[in-house]
Amino acid sequence: MPNRFPRPADLLTAAACLLFAAGPADAQTNPVTDAGFDALAADTTFYAEIPMRGVLGVDTPGDGVYEALKSAADNQHVTHAVFMIDAEEGWLLGKDEVGAFGGKLEITAVVRNALAPAIFPVFFADHIYMTDASLIGNLPLHLYLAEGSEEVDAKQIGITSSKLASAAQTRGHPEAVAYAMIDRKKKLYFWRDDDGEPVLSNERPSNAQSLDDYRQIKSVLPSSTLTLDRKTSIEIGLAKPIDAFDPFIVGEYLGKDNWMPANQFGRVAIEISSVIAELEPLREEIRAIDQSFEEIRADRRNNSTEDEGYIQWKKNLDKAVDQIDAINDALAEVMDHHPERHAYFTGRGGRTILADPEAWQADADQAVKAMRQALGMLSRLNDNFDDLSDREFLYDLNQRIQVINERLNGIRKHGNATYWRDHAEPDLPDDIYG
């Protein structure tokens, strides 16, 4: 999706900022100001955009979703979150990640595709909107469980589907749909009551022939669980239509005036957490190799030359594990203090207008300090990999951490608004992305 962030801020604040910003911003020395923030915020509904794309748990780690939601919930100016969902694979995101802030934030899910585990954030949202040609469903939960007995599988499916159905019911969505999308043994039946309102059930009613518009809802995909398209989802009362995959237009559908993105921390949190998520399996792989060398050494205790080589190899493995731990800890610190967590407006000349410049500066300084620690330890890990393996193995990881570093320093130097408007690389257009 194109980088649209400056647009709504400029539309809303163009006139107001002529009053509050005395002149062009000196981005080098004073990139942020609080002048006019309170007046602007009084009439604004801030939302946090949470992108959920690709493979959940990898491209969109649960920790990143949680941190983005937590940041929004902790910010007194932010009242809404918008899940932008275009995902078909991955791991389950449940109550701990997406349902932990119910009541603190009003959540809207905008769905291009929400298949398999991506149905979880949909049912934890208060409002569901679907774009043209979008799909929801297709999570045969039995395929996601570790191999076990039929009784154990049935119990786990029952527990998980009940949790999702409960989340759906709490937020006003038909729980029978959630059950049918997870449990292959559940069917979905539809009819209308005497007032013409939709009724949904997983049980076939005994008086089916006398009911108005009675039918079984069939899956649009050849899967063992239910998948719905937009037309059927709207018809049964699960979702509403939306014209584009764009969080900015959600405000119009919700009837909110001055609907504004608070920041782009959701994007930043996903970027940082995806690096942490990638480092963790690397750490576990190195630990497994380390353990295997313990066994090899036990078989070769009488060969001193090989034993000496083992000792050095093990030292490098141990260092790699410690280095990865240190990088992850430093990146978590970056996320905790990232200056993009603050809600802000775009002022005259691209000036960033936010509530507390001193707190912003303290966060920026702390995040930069932690980033330096991460980069220093990454350099040591690169050097260590010269002895362990090919450094090119870490090339992609290095590139992604450099993007995190460039964003952080760009925001600190230019201010949030100017950075995203003039310095950040734009997102890929929707038709190229997916």
Side-chain angles (χ1 to χ4, degrees), residues 128-167:
I128 303 170
Y129 290 93
M130 296 177 68
T131 62
D132 189 31
S134 57
L135 299 173
I136 294 178
N138 191 28
L139 178 58
L141 195 59
H142 64 284
L143 299 180
Y144 286 77
L145 301 177
E147 186 175 350
S149 67
E150 185 174 339
E151 293 79 7
V152 172
D153 286 355
K155 182 177 180 180
Q156 187 61 48
I157 291 170
I159 292 172
T160 305
S161 58
S162 293
K163 287 181 179 179
L164 187 60
S166 176

Side-chain angles (χ1 to χ4, degrees), residues 76-323:
Q76 63 176 321
H77 304 290
V78 182
T79 55
H80 289 255
V82 180
F83 294 159
M84 301 298 294
I85 305 175
D86 187 10
E88 303 179 11
E89 301 176 17
W91 289 267
L92 306 181
L93 302 183
K95 183 176 181 180
D96 291 343
E97 296 93 351
V98 299
F101 303 98
K104 295 182 179 180
L105 295 167
E106 188 173 328
I107 299 175
T108 298
V110 180
V111 177
R112 174 180 281 157
N113 278 307
L115 298 174
I119 70 172
F120 271 75
V122 171
F123 285 103
F124 278 97
D126 300 289
H127 314 283
I128 303 170
Y129 290 93
M130 296 177 68
T131 62
D132 189 31
S134 57
L135 299 173
I136 294 178
N138 191 28
L139 178 58
L141 195 59
H142 64 284
L143 299 180
Y144 286 77
L145 301 177
E147 186 175 350
S149 67
E150 185 174 339
E151 293 79 7
V152 172
D153 286 355
K155 182 177 180 180
Q156 187 61 48
I157 291 170
I159 292 172
T160 305
S161 58
S162 293
K163 287 181 179 179
L164 187 60
S166 176
Q169 184 183 43
T170 299
R171 288 155 181 83
H173 309 309
E175 58 182 313
V177 177
Y179 278 118
M181 287 183 174
I182 288 182
D183 190 343
R184 57 182 167 168
K185 296 181 179 180
K186 298 288 186 181
K187 307 300 181 183
L188 184 65
Y189 301 96
F190 171 88
W191 64 91
R192 296 187 182 278
D193 63 17
D194 293 340
D195 297 324
E197 294 298 315
V199 178
L200 291 151
S201 175
N202 297 123
E203 303 294 334
R204 187 180 186 276
S206 58
N207 59 337
Q209 301 306 316
S210 64
L211 297 173
D212 181 31
D213 199 16
Y214 166 79
R215 62 189 185 276
Q216 181 181 342
I217 302 297
K218 299 288 189 178
S219 177
V220 297
L221 293 180
S223 61
S224 58
T225 59
L226 182 67
T227 304
L228 299 176
D229 59 13
R230 180 168 86 156
K231 180 177 180 295
T232 303
S233 297
I234 294 169
E235 186 178 70
I236 68 175
L238 175 65
K240 296 179 181 178
I242 194 168
D243 289 337
F245 193 64
D246 185 343
F248 183 59
I249 67 174
V250 169
E252 177 183 348
Y253 286 77
L254 296 181
K256 303 294 182 181
D257 294 328
N258 298 334
W259 176 256
M260 282 277 298
N263 48 45
Q264 290 216 41
F265 183 69
R267 175 177 176 178
V268 169
I270 296 300
E271 288 176 342
I272 296 174
S273 62
S274 65
V275 170
I276 296 174
E278 186 171 314
L279 279 167
E280 185 57 29
L282 175 61
R283 176 183 182 276
E284 292 306 311
E285 181 180 350
I286 292 172
R287 290 188 59 152
I289 295 172
D290 197 353
Q291 180 61 38
S292 70
F293 269 84
E294 287 281 1
E295 297 169 0
I296 292 173
R297 186 189 184 195
D299 294 336
R300 299 181 176 179
R301 288 191 181 279
N302 295 326
N303 190 324
S304 60
T305 301
E306 290 186 2
D307 198 55
E308 289 174 5
Y310 159 80
I311 291 172
Q312 184 56 51
W313 181 266
K314 177 169 173 48
K315 285 181 179 178
N316 290 336
L317 290 170
D318 291 342
K319 285 193 296 183
V321 170
D322 291 341
Q323 288 157 354

